[in-house]
Amino acid sequence: MSRVERVQRELEKQNAEGLLVTKDVNRRYVSGFTGTAGAVLVTKSEAFFITDFRYAEQAKAEVKEANIIIHKGNLLKEIGLLVDKLALETILIEENGITFKSYLDLKEYTSASLLPSHSLIEKIREIKDSTEMEKMYKAAEIADETFAHIINFIKPGLTEIEVRNELELHMRKLGATSSSFNIIVASGERAALPHGIASHKVIENGDMITLDFGAVYEGYCSDITRTVSVGKPTEKFQEIYNIVLEALERGTKGICSQKPTKEIDRLARCYIDQHGYGENFGHSTGHGLGLEVHEPLRLSSESEEVLQKGMVVTVEPGIYIPGWGGCRIEDDILVTDNGYELLTKSSRELIIL
Ligand code: GLY
Ligand code: MN
Ligand code: MN
């Protein structure tokens, strides 16, 4: 079933007349268009891709399942005219992919009622198809190869930013179009910052370093974390590392189709709690991964979702102690019928540089 057809099946189920797709990754998912402007209107029987002159040739090459409309003036005005021409009385719009200003403008340009899509496409995107998985395997492989490279590059005297630059460059050399997010290199006490993006701090002997990075490969993201030790680790670091590692193992081993996501969070979190560090693990255990590095699916105590075959999630427990440092280990994992498959395969054992 094509992606447009998948959306149309959802429209039927919800008894909705049409969906306007304006969020960039969703536009790409539905239409195949990799450019940066335009929108897709999917109705129960048709699909339209609307963009401007700059993207006419690209749209012709990439968009296979929608009628292409090249507009001259205002995009929203064009969409409004089309919606009215098709006599749609109601359309769903992407509450996460339209600004309030655009929403107000669109209301002026059409007589149709605008209703929230409630993440209709994000829900379809939760289950990856085989073409998506090929790209996700490659994005994960780039992350693994880059980790193997960086552990030979890091040495005392380099700044975190120099390490970040090397991570970024190496991922691009291996075929990534960019990093999947702002790279985290947090050394020494800075490892207590869960999102400590690389700074000018100089790496010293005895530092722990949390490296959290990922590649974008043909639109799809990887997201890996390893915490390494520069020189001999202290007993305390070794203890914390082992707790985080066991939490990761427990979370990972719990993954399989039909398992509630909150159960994976519980498996990892309980272990950290039991060792007295519950207060130091203040984020969720993982998240969905795909065209976005953080997809809406959450492995958290508040999540009501259930894992299904074909979902890709991260598991990433951590312990963060202000004034001391911290540790996080993260892998990307495909949910299968009977369990899981690791996409990132770098060793989880503590690496001493
Ligand atoms: N770098 C953010 C995360 O791992 O989710
Ligand atoms: Mn990460
Ligand atoms: Mn992550």
Side-chain angles (χ1 to χ4, degrees), residues 30 90 151:
V30 173
T90 304
I151 55 180

Side-chain angles (χ1 to χ4, degrees), residues 180-181 184 195 211-214 222-225 287 293-294 314 316 328 330 332:
S180 53
F181 56 91
I184 293 167
H195 276 185
L211 303 157
D212 184 354
F213 60 96
S222 55
D223 181 12
I224 189 171
T225 307
H287 52 84
V293 72
H294 292 136
T314 68
E316 50 179 300
R328 178 168 66 256
E330 172 179 29
D332 304 342

